[in-house]
Amino acid sequence: MRERRVSKKENVFVASRFVLPEHREMYLRIKEEERRYVPPELDQEQLSALSELVWQAFQTESILTLTYYDGREPRRLSAHVIHIDQAARSLKLRAGSEIHWVPFARLLHVELAASF
């Protein structure tokens, strides 16, 4: 026997379903939280290695390529370290004509750019 498909007009339950705006917002917020990037926790050894590379780049005026967490996602930046603010624990970087301040606690990965 062949099954008969029930249309939405015939099925009162399906036709009467709706989503409240508050529920839609809550659903979207939950989905956003699931997609949110959570930065990894770095141990003391990794933090020391990052600090060493930052200091070396500052001393030699080398270009530093770093990955940092901007509050939403990881970002990558190649720049010169022009100031290390130890009191605020942040780095002042110059990438071309742009100036960036990056808190040391948000650093994920640091490497010296290859010099030619």
Side-chain angles (χ1 to χ4, degrees), residues 18-28:
F18 65 94
V19 177
L20 293 173
E22 301 84 37
H23 294 161
R24 179 172 164 38
E25 289 171 17
M26 183 175 60
Y27 174 77
L28 293 175

Side-chain angles (χ1 to χ4, degrees), residues 2-105:
R2 196 172 150 198
E3 282 187 38
R4 187 176 147 236
R5 292 199 157 226
V6 178
S7 72
K8 286 184 180 180
K9 288 181 182 178
E10 293 172 337
N11 189 339
V12 177
F13 177 72
V14 172
S16 67
R17 280 206 252 175
F18 65 94
V19 177
L20 293 173
E22 301 84 37
H23 294 161
R24 179 172 164 38
E25 289 171 17
M26 183 175 60
Y27 174 77
L28 293 175
R29 207 171 32 249
I30 289 169
K31 286 298 180 189
E32 183 66 30
E33 285 290 321
E34 289 174 355
R35 286 191 300 263
R36 196 181 89 189
Y37 176 80
V38 178
E41 292 285 329
L42 301 178
D43 62 21
Q44 193 60 39
E45 188 176 314
Q46 292 169 317
L47 291 172
S48 294
L50 292 179
S51 179
E52 180 97 16
L53 286 172
V54 167
W55 182 250
Q56 185 179 352
F58 179 67
Q59 290 294 312
T60 61
E61 298 179 2
S62 302
I63 293 177
L64 190 68
T65 302
L66 53 95
T67 305
Y68 66 98
Y69 176 63
D70 74 349
R72 303 190 93 207
E73 62 187 3
R75 299 264 182 193
R76 194 165 168 88
L77 176 67
S78 291
H80 286 94
V81 180
I82 55 176
H83 181 70
I84 299 173
D85 188 342
Q86 292 181 352
R89 297 187 43 84
S90 61
L91 306 173
K92 185 177 184 181
L93 306 162
R94 185 182 71 238
S97 62
E98 296 179 7
I99 301 294
H100 301 271
W101 282 93
V102 177
F104 194 78

